[in-house]
Amino acid sequence: MFPRYATLALGTAAAVMLAACSGRGPAPPAAPAAPATPSREASASGVPRGHAPVAPGLEPGAVILAASSSGAVVADPATRSYRGYTSTGELSWVDRDAYRDDAEVVCAVRCPDAVITAAGRNGTDRVRLRTGTRARPMAQAAVHRVLAVRGPSDAVLVEDGRGGRGARIRVDRTDRTQVRVDVADTAGVLWVEDAGRSAALAVYRRPGHAGTSVLAFRRDGRGWRTGGPPRPVAEAWGGCLGGGRGPAILAGPRGTLLAHGTPAPLTSDLPQVGECAAGRDGAVLLARWIDAGGTAHTALRGVDATGRETWARDVPAEVEVAAHPSGRQFALSGQAGLEIVDQAGRPLMRAAGVSSARYTETGRLVVVDGAGTPRWAEPPRDG
């Protein structure tokens, strides 16, 4: 679909975003406003789930919430709805309540089948499963969030603790065994998976402890299992994972690389890491801020698998970043268009009319066009 090193007409807004942005440019402020801590009103990265990055003067475009080789879920401001599409482009379902509630979305075995979790007005949570045109509530009243799901006996849930005290992560496995992890609250749990959905991190606060802990998970033939004991880490509001052997990064006031499970600092000049996107061989760190004139900025820093900074770019616009599973190319998207860069930050292609992009677990590229419809394509070669 996209020729290598292709450059399409991007228009004035795209030129603002992409032209003359190969260097650092102005450094980000020493203390940009911190993204929101993960909550029911915001995604784990601190950016509302239902809103794509917006260049100055442009209306918000559709954003991909989840995608795989089989389908995708899109938040579409034009119709004020979440929309599930198959990889053939067929519209499978529409959910306006999910958009209104800025709900969390987790794909089931095959996207666009998904579990949707929304905060209820009476303080309870509403969890429902969407398959095709059907939406049915999850039966378990104690479940507040669904972090991962492959089936009724293969899921990661956040639920009330025993006797209504506290909360816990509950991991159900197909052999009927369970893993339970006590947590301080249901909303503060962060779950990060790699593109292949085979490795994950759970970041949470333990009851009665002021600090934050991270617990690694891996999948085997019966579901998720823990990959070792929990480890203390700095505060985190987001993260990214490049697979079982790739970099694991926590975004927060101090960006943290988990090297063999041990926290280590990232060698980046960003005062804090707002978001990140990772593949097996590298990652991109993001920080966002708004200047005195009201212009949004995004600072991008490429790092290798050891957390060492390899390239930098500062863009006068909001940009969304997605990582190829290999970590050797990254899709930068927003209302200004799409640019794909390689592991050194060099452009591979540019295209207009793309508001959001994601890579699937097999490395295919999913893009959303001006009509809010996702399309699956082969990405450009990166070497």
Side-chain angles (χ1 to χ4, degrees), residues 56-57 289-297:
W289 76 96
I290 298 176
D291 65 24
T295 300
H297 294 260

Side-chain angles (χ1 to χ4, degrees), residues 129-218:
L129 175 66
R130 292 232 55 139
T131 54
T133 58
R134 296 180 58 196
R136 56 184 178 84
M138 299 282 283
Q140 302 177 48
V143 174
H144 288 268
R145 298 172 62 197
V146 176
L147 304 179
V149 61
R150 303 291 180 90
S153 58
D154 185 355
V156 183
L157 315 168
V158 182
E159 63 179 5
D160 290 330
R162 295 178 180 177
R165 295 189 299 271
R168 66 185 180 186
I169 300 170
R170 193 187 87 204
V171 181
D172 293 337
R173 292 168 49 85
T174 57
D175 59 4
R176 298 186 178 181
T177 61
Q178 291 184 338
V179 177
R180 296 183 177 92
V181 181
D182 290 333
V183 299
D185 59 79
T186 60
V189 177
L190 172 68
W191 178 264
V192 180
E193 288 185 20
D194 71 325
R197 303 174 72 185
S198 62
L201 298 174
V203 185
Y204 57 94
R205 295 190 304 276
R206 298 166 64 187
H209 292 73
T212 304
S213 298
V214 61
L215 184 59
F217 285 84
R218 298 289 185 269

Side-chain angles (χ1 to χ4, degrees), residues 81-342:
S81 65
Y82 284 9
R83 305 167 75 84
Y85 290 88
T86 67
S87 58
T88 61
E90 178 184 357
L91 178 63
S92 179
W93 55 264
V94 177
D95 194 320
R96 290 180 172 80
D97 290 340
Y99 183 91
R100 181 198 62 208
D101 297 334
D102 198 23
E104 292 183 87
V105 175
V106 174
C107 283
V109 178
R110 293 172 56 85
C111 276
D113 292 348
V115 171
I116 297 173
T117 306
R121 292 181 177 83
N122 59 355
T124 61
D125 296 276
R126 293 179 290 109
V127 183
R128 58 190 185 276
L129 175 66
R130 292 232 55 139
T131 54
T133 58
R134 296 180 58 196
R136 56 184 178 84
M138 299 282 283
Q140 302 177 48
V143 174
H144 288 268
R145 298 172 62 197
V146 176
L147 304 179
V149 61
R150 303 291 180 90
S153 58
D154 185 355
V156 183
L157 315 168
V158 182
E159 63 179 5
D160 290 330
R162 295 178 180 177
R165 295 189 299 271
R168 66 185 180 186
I169 300 170
R170 193 187 87 204
V171 181
D172 293 337
R173 292 168 49 85
T174 57
D175 59 4
R176 298 186 178 181
T177 61
Q178 291 184 338
V179 177
R180 296 183 177 92
V181 181
D182 290 333
V183 299
D185 59 79
T186 60
V189 177
L190 172 68
W191 178 264
V192 180
E193 288 185 20
D194 71 325
R197 303 174 72 185
S198 62
L201 298 174
V203 185
Y204 57 94
R205 295 190 304 276
R206 298 166 64 187
H209 292 73
T212 304
S213 298
V214 61
L215 184 59
F217 285 84
R218 298 289 185 269
R219 281 194 64 83
D220 59 24
R222 297 175 178 176
W224 290 102
R225 58 179 175 80
T226 56
R231 295 179 180 271
V233 292
E235 178 187 356
W237 51 58
C240 53
L241 189 59
R245 298 183 179 179
I249 296 173
L250 298 181
R254 291 177 294 172
T256 302
L257 174 73
L258 300 177
H260 306 291
T262 302
L266 292 161
T267 55
S268 165
D269 67 341
L270 295 180
Q272 64 181 19
V273 178
E275 303 167 38
C276 63
R280 184 178 61 253
D281 295 334
V284 173
L285 315 178
L286 291 83
R288 304 180 188 276
W289 76 96
I290 298 176
D291 65 24
T295 300
H297 294 260
T298 306
L300 309 172
R301 301 291 185 265
V303 296
D304 63 18
T306 68
R308 179 180 60 89
E309 185 175 308
T310 56
W311 60 272
R313 180 187 294 194
D314 294 316
V315 181
E318 289 191 65
V319 179
E320 176 188 29
V321 179
H324 189 279
S326 68
R328 294 192 292 269
Q329 70 173 246
F330 302 87
L332 319 180
S333 60
Q335 287 301 306
L338 170 70
E339 181 180 17
I340 294 181
V341 301
D342 67 11

